[in-house]
Amino acid sequence: MSDSTGAPGSPDPADRPEEGGTEPSAYPAEPVGASPDEASPADAVFEDIVGTETDRDPDLAVIEAGSRTLRASVGPAAGALEQLPGTPKDPAVAEALREVEKELLDRWPETRLDPSLVRIEALMDVLGEPQRGYPAIHLTGTNGKTTTARMIETLLGAFELRTGRFSSPHVQSITERVSLDGRPITAERFVEVYRDLRPYLDLVDAAQEHRLSFFEVLTAMAYAAFADAPVDVAVVEVGMGGSWDCTNVIDAGVAVLTPIALDHTDRLGDTPERIAVEKAGIIKPGATVILARQTVEAAAVVLRRAVEVDATVAREGMEFGVLSREVAVGGQLLTLRGPGGDYPDIFLPLHGAHMAHNAAVALAAVEAFFGIGTTHARTLDQEVVRQAFAAVTSPGRLEVVRTGPTVLLDAAHNPAGAAATAEAVEESFGFSRLIGVVGATVGKDVRGLLEAFEPAFDEIVVTRNSSSRAMDPDELAALAVEIFGEDRVRVEPRLDDALEAAVALAEEDDEAAGYGGVGVLVTGSVITVGEARLLLGGER
């Protein structure tokens, strides 16, 4: 875990979590192909907007300006994207949400950790233990947590249960982190929950060595909102790790462990086995463990923990799994096996083998929640399951945001995620050429990420997102040149320029590319993907 010395005061800008989205407006833009040596109208508009946005985070001002200038050049998405919240239309609500975000960001940021549950336990105590008011499914792992949580939430909702989901990070708006019945809570409700909790936050802050952190407050807000709703079941994704993650004050009857790989190695350990020790800490006595495919070393750690606390384990490839899958228009057709039996003819509107495995894990988790495989020997209603999976969405996970050329967004940010994404793009789209747009984060295994994408990308445009933790484009380019060669690497420091350059390259190459056409994949960070989604016309 990371160093916990020193009292947290104002956050280091390099530790600030990713920011939410903004509301774009229609502004004139420079036509594609204008001379780079001349100051364009779009550039003037961009700089003017950034300069006048003095009452908000300067990074957000850059996103806003980009969203106003890029869309006339690149064009909107071809199809309707899932609506994600952005800036509220009511100015008073928008201002209140900004104030709450500022207060949260003034706390210890989620990228700095203290391996202790003392503060969150103290807060839960003064709030009356809201996390005890409903059953829960708790998820950890390295990749696939958010999509699996969304699948679980959709399945439970299809069986007429009221759900609460807590997940991180967000794609466009901080309010995405707390969902009720499959939808992010409104900005008004987010502000209301925070204001209700603020006196208790002050009380706990005064009694502790360190103030409550950004993520601890968000976790408390989610648990309080779920109790107030009230929900029938909470689906809770850890922030990082497991044992010491502040979500772990919940006593979940179902613990889900998605594939464990190397990520956050400075905090969790440098081998899958060491990381698994931390993640297995979410397994509570008597729980049911849904264990996705793991390395032998990681699986052994989880199984030992299950024995220690007398938990029941269902293992992918043994008690449940993917029996068959074939690529279909807009997704894939699956036959899944749960602990209770087989589920044929499942259409999943998401791409890639990894998404099929996420679906198997989600189905097993929901069966376990309903007691199937332990107290009941039957399947769930198969038609309800089919309808639920057909309705699953996962913004920013191999999401098609426009066609002609096809532009995909994927939040892969580590080598394992990148390898799965590259394989899925090849299988589902079969582009003759693929252009990557990559904006990465300092502290990640960026070399491993680029090496995983190298066989898939014909060219790469390196850039940066608005986060202060974004990797410098020149440093990223130097690394990319080592892996791709100089002729395949282009640098565009501004994300809107990078997107425009990639689309222009794709349009130039499309006719010569042949049957498969040319695609663009934007990746490297959830923040990069969220900002690209705004720039490319994602619903707000």
Side-chain angles (χ1 to χ4, degrees):
M1 304 293 288
S2 67
D3 151 16
S4 61
T5 58
S10 296
D12 182 336
D15 288 328
R16 188 174 62 245
E18 66 284 341
E19 309 283 78
T22 56
E23 186 75 18
S25 304
Y27 272 74
E30 173 189 10
V32 174
S35 169
D37 298 323
E38 300 176 4
S40 69
D43 285 333
V45 170
F46 187 97
E47 298 303 334
D48 181 60
I49 296 169
V50 172
T52 58
E53 292 280 0
T54 56
D55 62 337
R56 28 198 316 244
D57 188 302
D59 288 340
L60 287 182
V62 172
I63 304 171
E64 172 77 357
S67 68
R68 290 170 172 170
T69 59
L70 179 71
R71 283 213 263 148
S73 301
V74 176
L81 305 181
E82 177 182 341
Q83 284 197 351
L84 292 180
T87 302
K89 293 181 179 179
D90 184 332
V93 175
E95 178 60 27
L97 181 61
R98 281 196 293 269
E99 289 175 0
V100 169
E101 285 193 79
K102 183 179 184 304
E103 289 188 26
L104 288 169
L105 292 170
D106 282 342
R107 292 181 171 274
W108 207 352
E110 61 189 326
T111 51
R112 293 173 62 187
L113 304 177
D114 176 19
S116 169
L117 297 179
V118 170
R119 290 183 301 276
I120 189 67
E121 287 174 341
L123 181 55
M124 291 296 100
D125 182 59
V126 299
L127 292 177
E129 303 287 351
Q131 80 281 15
R132 309 290 182 202
Y134 37 80
I137 298 174
H138 202 181
L139 296 91
T140 190
T142 303
N143 292 310
K145 296 188 297 297
T146 297
T147 299
T148 304
R150 291 176 69 97
M151 291 176 176
I152 291 170
E153 172 188 53
T154 303
L155 282 164
L156 292 169
F159 286 99
E160 301 184 352
L161 293 181
R162 185 157 208 210
T163 58
R165 176 171 55 86
F166 180 56
S167 59
S168 60
H170 55 270
V171 176
Q172 290 181 192
S173 169
I174 194 171
T175 59
E176 295 167 37
R177 298 189 182 219
V178 183
S179 293
L180 292 173
D181 294 325
R183 298 181 186 85
I185 63 174
T186 65
E188 292 91 336
R189 180 61 182 145
F190 190 90
V191 170
E192 182 181 26
V193 173
Y194 176 78
R195 288 176 174 170
D196 286 346
L197 263 61
R198 188 159 49 188
Y200 302 98
L201 305 181
D202 294 339
L203 183 66
V204 173
D205 285 343
Q208 299 295 322
E209 180 183 1
H210 301 319
R211 296 173 72 212
L212 289 152
S213 72
F214 170 93
F215 193 71
E216 286 169 334
V217 175
L218 278 177
T219 300
M221 289 173 62
Y223 289 165
F226 296 162
D228 190 58
V231 301
D232 297 313
V233 54
V235 182
V236 178
E237 178 187 336
V238 304
M240 186 184 300
S243 296
W244 300 111
D245 187 80
C246 63
T247 62
N248 204 29
V249 292
I250 205 161
D251 189 12
V254 179
V256 177
L257 285 90
T258 66
I260 295 170
L262 297 180
D263 199 10
H264 302 295
T265 53
D266 56 330
R267 298 174 174 92
L268 303 179
D270 56 4
T271 67
E273 183 177 11
R274 290 180 180 175
I275 294 172
V277 171
E278 172 67 15
K279 293 184 182 293
I282 72 165
I283 302 172
K284 303 300 195 302
T288 299
V289 180
I290 305 301
L291 184 61
R293 294 187 303 177
Q294 308 288 349
T295 64
V296 172
E297 296 78 10
V301 169
V302 176
L303 294 173
R304 281 197 296 271
R305 167 69 178 176
V307 170
E308 290 170 2
V309 299
D310 194 27
T312 302
V313 181
R315 301 155 294 178
E316 185 179 7
M318 302 288 284
E319 287 77 25
F320 72 93
V322 180
L323 294 185
S324 68
R325 56 180 295 270
E326 56 183 274
V327 176
V329 176
Q332 52 193 309
L333 191 64
L334 311 174
T335 297
L336 303 178
R337 172 166 291 168
D342 295 350
Y343 297 78
D345 302 322
I346 302 284
F347 175 69
L348 180 68
L350 302 174
H351 303 285
H354 61 302
M355 290 299 185
H357 291 287
N358 290 343
V361 170
L363 178 60
V366 172
E367 282 201 333
F369 178 78
F370 285 119
I372 294 174
T374 52
T375 58
H376 304 292
R378 57 177 175 81
T379 64
L380 298 169
D381 185 310
Q382 300 211 359
E383 188 54 36
V384 173
V385 170
R386 290 189 187 99
Q387 291 174 4
F389 273 121
V392 165
T393 60
S394 193
R397 275 74 181 179
L398 270 182
E399 181 183 25
V400 179
V401 292
R402 69 162 282 173
T403 58
T406 299
V407 179
L408 306 171
L409 305 180
D410 192 84
H413 56 273
N414 56 49
T421 295
E423 180 182 345
V425 171
E426 172 63 27
E427 175 188 75
S428 298
F429 296 92
F431 297 121
S432 299
R433 290 177 59 77
L434 181 63
I435 297 163
V437 176
V438 177
T441 302
V442 171
K444 297 290 186 180
D445 182 2
V446 179
R447 176 180 290 277
L449 178 92
L450 295 177
E451 288 174 344
F453 277 127
E454 190 278 330
F457 290 162
D458 293 278
E459 296 178 75
I460 180 172
V461 182
V462 300
T463 187
R464 63 165 293 154
N465 57 55
S466 70
S467 169
S468 297
R469 298 178 59 239
M471 188 171 185
D472 179 81
D474 290 332
E475 293 180 15
L476 181 55
L479 192 55
V481 166
E482 293 180 26
I483 296 164
F484 289 83
E486 188 172 355
D487 292 344
R488 294 166 63 193
V489 179
R490 177 167 172 171
V491 184
E492 293 288 353
R494 225 168 67 177
L495 180 57
D496 59 339
D497 290 336
L499 293 171
E500 188 171 346
V503 169
L505 284 170
E507 289 173 340
E508 290 170 7
D509 293 346
D510 196 45
E511 188 173 341
Y515 177 75
V518 181
V520 174
L521 174 62
V522 184
T523 190
S525 162
V526 176
I527 304 171
T528 301
V529 163
E531 293 174 5
R533 198 175 191 271
L534 280 170
L535 292 169
L536 291 165
E539 296 288 343
R540 281 154 299 279

